[in-house]
Amino acid sequence: MTPLDEAIKMAVAGDYPPGASEIDGHEFYIRAIDNKNLLQDGETSYFRHEHAGKDDRVFYSIKLEGNGKYTAKITRIQFRGPYVTNGFRDIGDHGIDVTDAVKLLAAGLTGDWIALAILIKELDLQGFLDGNWIPAAAKVTDMIGKAMAAPANPR
């Protein structure tokens, strides 16, 4: 198991972490952000959510605004669990903004987070196996954005 903060630093540097990372009881495989495989226009990268069967893929976009500021969005999710075969779920025209996910999830669901809650409810068939992992994925996406926007990061 690779600590999540270490895995994210490696991914931002263009490396592949050696194993899964855990947050909120869910395991994710973080991919190097330089990997452009499977991406659509405007997407930065993706990471995988581990579960029984093929891992789900969470695609995201990070926009750097300077001075340590950024916008992090989940753009789409490919559900590949035992009850879904390569099922993509679009996340609206512009994705769901998950910037500051750790703070926002603690404060409750508003705005785009309501769309996230609806998505979670719609996916309850798979959710009974994996639990509610999408808020954890939102946190991972936000943490990647924060690492990319860090002043010490040369990107």
Side-chain angles (χ1 to χ4, degrees):
M1 188 74 67
T2 305
L4 183 58
D5 59 340
E6 184 180 316
I8 289 172
K9 285 179 190 174
M10 292 176 73
V12 170
D15 296 325
Y16 285 86
S21 300
E22 187 271 332
I23 183 170
D24 296 344
H26 300 281
E27 292 185 12
F28 297 93
Y29 288 98
I30 310 302
R31 301 179 58 83
I33 62 167
D34 292 341
N35 175 31
K36 301 303 178 195
N37 185 30
L38 304 175
L39 301 184
Q40 293 181 355
D41 189 40
E43 291 177 332
T44 301
S45 190
Y46 72 92
F47 53 89
R48 296 180 359 239
H49 165 248
E50 182 182 32
H51 64 87
K54 292 181 179 180
D55 293 343
D56 300 316
R57 294 178 179 140
V58 179
F59 294 82
Y60 62 89
S61 172
I62 307 295
K63 301 292 183 206
L64 301 177
E65 300 168 7
N67 297 324
K69 295 184 180 182
Y70 62 96
T71 301
K73 292 185 178 187
I74 293 177
T75 55
R76 61 192 170 111
I77 299 175
Q78 182 182 24
F79 295 94
R80 299 167 14 124
Y83 295 107
V84 181
T85 304
N86 292 333
F88 279 94
R89 175 71 168 127
D90 290 329
I91 314 287
D93 292 336
H94 304 290
I96 294 177
D97 190 338
V98 295
T99 309
D100 295 326
V102 175
K103 290 188 279 186
L104 292 172
L105 282 169
L109 298 175
T110 61
D112 283 342
W113 292 94
I114 293 171
L116 185 63
I118 291 168
L119 174 65
I120 292 165
K121 184 175 181 180
E122 288 176 359
L123 299 169
D124 193 48
L125 176 65
Q126 187 164 317
F128 83 92
L129 290 177
D130 295 332
N132 187 1
W133 62 270
I134 297 189
K139 290 179 183 179
V140 171
T141 305
D142 180 41
M143 292 170 71
I144 292 169
K146 187 172 190 173
M148 288 177 66
N153 186 2
R155 293 187 182 270

